Amino acid sequence: MVTGRVISFDEFRGYGFIAPDTGGEDVFMHVNDLNGDKRLITVDSRVEFMLENGGKGPKASRVRLLERPGGGTVPHVPPVSQVSPMPPVPALPRDTDRPAGDPGFCDVLSVRELSHEVTEAILAAVPSMTAEQIVRVRTAVVELAHGHGWTEG
């Protein structure tokens, strides 16, 4: 892991740059690579991260806030190595796994019904997710379902 200081971060665009403590080229940081709440990242925050080669130069992954400017407190976010893995997801039944005579139909939900069910499932599975994270995941799932014709409308 490498440590450094955030030298720029645009919360709305979702990216910024880190100056590594070891010197050298500034490192690109994207909001999707943050472990924790992006609203806590500001200029002069101290972070630790994995250094990768991005398409246009060095890129940070698994970025974790260590210290806010002025020594502000940081909510505990465990290092990635200490995060428990997700439980295994049961395999979906294949067409060959259906009982004889089952036509394979399923309920088709409205976008509103699917959004509600996905939100409830996310809250049950990962209660620590922020509202913004839940909305982003739910939107991606609903768009996927709509693209496959799994929702009404």
Side-chain angles (χ1 to χ4, degrees):
M1 296 293 271
V2 179
T3 58
R5 212 167 269 293
V6 176
I7 56 173
S8 69
F9 185 70
D10 185 324
E11 179 182 338
F12 298 103
R13 290 189 175 140
Y15 67 88
F17 289 90
I18 302 169
D21 290 340
T22 56
E25 196 173 349
D26 293 340
V27 179
F28 177 77
M29 168 183 61
H30 192 271
V31 68
N32 291 340
D33 293 307
L34 295 175
N35 294 340
D37 189 343
K38 73 176 184 178
R39 293 170 294 184
L40 298 176
I41 300 290
T42 60
V43 172
D44 287 333
S45 295
R46 288 198 32 76
V47 293
E48 90 177 341
F49 57 96
M50 295 295 295
L51 187 58
E52 296 181 355
N53 289 322
K56 297 179 181 178
K59 178 183 179 302
S61 67
R62 298 179 0 191
V63 180
R64 186 169 72 100
L65 181 63
L66 296 176
E67 180 182 307
R68 297 177 76 188
T73 59
V74 177
H76 177 68
V77 176
V80 172
S81 61
Q82 295 178 6
V83 175
S84 302
M86 292 293 293
V89 176
L92 295 173
R94 300 182 324 232
D95 288 345
T96 58
D97 295 336
R98 278 195 233 120
D102 183 346
F105 296 117
C106 63
D107 291 339
V108 176
L109 302 175
S110 69
V111 170
R112 184 176 182 179
E113 291 168 326
L114 178 62
S115 293
H116 176 76
E117 292 214 15
V118 167
T119 301
E120 293 302 316
I122 291 170
L123 287 170
V126 190
S128 61
M129 285 183 76
T130 65
E132 180 182 357
Q133 291 169 326
I134 291 170
V135 168
R136 289 174 62 193
V137 170
R138 183 179 64 199
T139 300
V141 170
V142 169
E143 287 175 1
L144 175 71
H146 186 70
H148 284 284
W150 299 338
T151 56
E152 293 176 345

